[in-house]
Amino acid sequence: MPDAWRLATGTLTALPVGPPRQVTRSTARAAMLLAPAAVLPLGALVAAILWLGGRADLPPLAVAFVAVGALAAGSRALHWDGLSDVADGLTASYDRERSLAVMKTGTSGPAGVVATVVVAGIQAAALTAYVDTLGLALLAGALVCLSRCALWITCCTRVPSARPGGLGDTYTRTVPLPLAALGGLLLSVTGGLVVLLLVRRTTTRFGGVTGDVFGAAIELALATTLLTWAWW
């Protein structure tokens, strides 16, 4: 369990933690299941920014964008990089190898830039609904943590790896289907459906999922769940 905790925290946050002694598939599975708990400090950070911004009577949209930026910094913007790469890969070519090569370059093309701007804008616009009270700010922080349940779906035992030997290969096919289904429910169903559609699309185009798909799933899940609860 200590190795899994260090792996989850070190991978999903910018918090300084020691490296795990060894990374096995069992460790990787436990790390994915611990993902929502591992980002509790990031959820608390977002909640604090929203609440303090509301107390200071600052413009809600400005406060929301600060929260989105702080969350990105707290995760080293790793998930945003994944979202950008997936968008570029899906629009680059219908050839699987060409798409995977584009995703591996690490640069952002037009599709990647547009995807990050649109999803970040949706997150920020949705977060304006959580600025008014402490209870709403805490709800937003909780949704940040729950958005990491997207990893339970991308790492489901039914989902193959697109790139054997890649960064995400250790984590794929590790989470049992019942837990992946539970993750979809914890994502308010709507978030789970969005992640499921992403997994289906990338599996069709790339032959499976990659570490970039994990990051894209998290950001899309967060945007969707924030919108869903704001609507409710």
Side-chain angles (χ1 to χ4, degrees):
M1 185 63 74
D3 277 347
W5 185 257
R6 284 192 287 265
L7 180 60
T9 304
T11 302
L12 300 174
T13 76
L15 297 174
V17 294
R21 292 169 298 176
Q22 59 177 348
V23 179
T24 63
R25 289 186 65 79
S26 176
T27 304
R29 177 175 60 251
M32 293 299 94
L33 295 178
L34 286 171
V39 298
L40 276 170
L42 302 186
L45 174 64
V46 168
I49 291 172
L50 296 178
W51 181 63
L52 291 173
R55 294 276 293 179
D57 202 26
L58 295 173
L61 186 58
V63 174
F65 266 111
V66 170
V68 171
L71 182 57
S75 59
R76 299 187 300 275
L78 185 63
H79 312 317
W80 289 108
D81 179 68
L83 175 65
S84 175
D85 287 345
V86 169
D88 285 334
L90 287 173
T91 57
S93 170
Y94 283 104
D95 178 74
R96 172 182 178 273
E97 295 302 326
R98 170 61 179 160
S99 293
L100 289 174
V102 167
M103 291 168 63
K104 199 173 182 180
T105 62
T107 58
S108 291
V113 172
V114 171
T116 53
V117 170
V118 170
V119 176
I122 291 173
Q123 289 184 7
L127 279 171
T128 60
Y130 301 84
V131 175
D132 291 339
T133 67
L134 176 59
L136 290 172
L138 291 174
L139 173 59
L143 294 178
V144 167
C145 297
L146 289 176
S147 68
R148 274 53 182 174
C149 290
L151 295 172
W152 299 5
I153 300 174
T154 60
C155 297
C156 177
T157 51
R158 300 290 183 89
V159 181
S161 172
R163 188 186 291 125
L167 178 63
D169 191 42
T170 303
Y171 302 92
T172 53
R173 293 189 182 274
T174 57
V175 177
L177 180 59
L179 290 178
L182 175 61
L185 295 176
L186 293 174
L187 291 172
S188 307
V189 178
T190 53
L193 287 174
V194 167
V195 175
L196 187 61
L197 289 172
L198 173 68
V199 169
R200 181 175 181 179
R201 181 61 174 163
T202 54
T203 300
T204 301
R205 286 291 310 280
F206 309 145
V209 296
T210 66
D212 287 328
V213 177
F214 297 172
I218 287 173
E219 296 301 345
L220 289 172
L222 178 58
T224 306
T225 53
L226 286 173
L227 271 178
T228 299
W229 280 89
W231 175 67
W232 282 346

